[in-house]
Amino acid sequence: GAVVSQHPSRVICKSGTSVKIECRSLDFQATTMFWYRQFPKKSLMLMATSNEGSKATYEQGVEKDKFLINHASLTLSTLTVTSAHPEDSSFYICSARELGGRDEQFFGPGTRLTVL
Amino acid sequence: RKEVEQDPGPFNVPEGATVAFNCTYSNSASQSFFWYRQDCRKEPKLLMSVYSSGNEDGRFTAQLNRASQYISLLIRDSKLSDSATYLCVVYRSYNTDKLIFGTGTRLQVFP
């Protein structure tokens, strides 16, 4: 149980393109999903916390107009990187916390974004 | 100062060796503690939760010292497949609830 999927697993796009990444909890309901970013040889950094049916809470320094988050249901959250630039190239990982579960989060397999 | 600090390594150990990783955290309000394992270019996977009483899962033993704000992970009888980066992770719910990740300690087990 507690499987989280992400799609796509890899994206290569031109600068200026918008990219949408989906995060799904497959066998459980997740009131809260989290979006992280990881640059090479760096730790995971939380970008935003997404609660179903409400606006996402963004971490300091993360532009909410650039990284659009939608958490439309208890099993799906999306992150859209708008007008992506090469500096947005990174490994984007989502995680989900089970409704009524403990503190642990279950991670998706990640999406590797390369912006040319 | 980082909220969660780990020695980045790498730790290069032979198969069968025992290796210990340490981690310190700065926020005494932290509530829960975990060790995650991350393979190259993959997502983190939960290895084990860490409790004050200490907990063991096969070859892995985790310990928490709240007074010293210190977490440890001991791996006995290392296998080649243990080669990965081990992430010390702290959960706190005051202000905003989130996981704080250490930068990880890289382990390389050689034959």
Side-chain angles (χ1 to χ4, degrees):
Chain A
V3 177
V4 176
S5 72
Q6 258 183 265
H7 178 80
S9 58
R10 185 166 185 164
V11 179
I12 301 173
C13 68
K14 292 182 180 177
S15 189
T17 308
S18 290
V19 176
K20 186 187 225 180
I21 303 169
E22 289 187 351
C23 177
R24 292 180 188 272
S25 56
L26 297 186
D27 51 359
F28 65 100
Q29 292 185 322
T31 45
T32 307
M33 289 185 170
F34 303 84
W35 287 96
Y36 295 84
R37 181 167 52 181
Q38 187 177 32
F39 292 106
K41 299 188 189 293
K42 300 291 185 184
S43 60
L44 268 77
M45 296 299 295
L46 180 66
M47 298 175 68
T49 301
S50 163
N51 291 297
E52 186 263 338
S54 63
K55 289 184 180 179
T57 302
Y58 289 80
E59 294 298 300
Q60 195 171 16
V62 178
E63 298 175 58
K64 62 179 182 180
D65 294 329
K66 181 168 179 66
F67 299 99
L68 301 178
I69 291 172
N70 184 285
H71 192 154
S73 75
L74 286 172
T75 59
L76 173 65
S77 176
T78 60
L79 167 70
T80 301
V81 183
T82 61
S83 187
H85 290 284
E87 59 266 28
D88 298 322
S89 299
S90 189
F91 191 42
Y92 291 85
I93 310 175
C94 74
S95 71
R97 191 164 64 214
E98 189 171 0
L99 176 64
R102 297 178 300 164
D103 302 332
E104 65 185 274
Q105 296 175 19
F106 302 97
F107 286 83
T111 297
R112 193 160 298 280
L113 171 63
T114 303
V115 185
L116 303 175
Chain B
R1 185 188 169 191
K2 292 178 185 170
E3 192 164 340
V4 179
E5 299 228 40
Q6 290 182 254
D7 179 345
F11 284 59
N12 297 304
V13 303
E15 270 187 292
T18 295
V19 61
F21 303 140
N22 302 320
C23 167
T24 56
Y25 61 96
S26 60
N27 195 314
S28 59
S30 302
Q31 295 171 247
S32 308
F33 309 88
F34 309 91
W35 283 102
Y36 278 75
R37 170 196 168 127
Q38 186 174 26
D39 292 287
C40 189
R41 303 172 78 85
K42 299 283 188 185
E43 79 277 20
K45 292 189 192 292
L46 179 66
L47 183 64
M48 58 200 304
S49 302
V50 190
Y51 306 112
S52 296
S53 54
N55 47 307
E56 189 173 309
D57 183 2
R59 297 181 294 109
F60 299 84
T61 301
Q63 203 83 38
L64 165 66
N65 184 321
R66 282 191 185 268
S68 304
Q69 295 180 195
Y70 171 95
I71 306 158
S72 65
L73 176 68
L74 184 78
I75 305 176
R76 290 180 298 278
D77 188 23
S78 299
K79 312 288 183 195
L80 295 175
S81 56
D82 293 334
S83 298
T85 297
Y86 291 82
L87 306 172
C88 176
V89 184
V90 169
Y91 169 76
R92 58 171 166 83
S93 66
Y94 81 93
N95 195 16
T96 57
D97 104 82
K98 59 184 180 181
L99 294 180
I100 310 294
F101 286 79
T103 51
T105 299
R106 197 154 66 85
L107 171 66
Q108 184 68 48
V109 181
F110 58 88

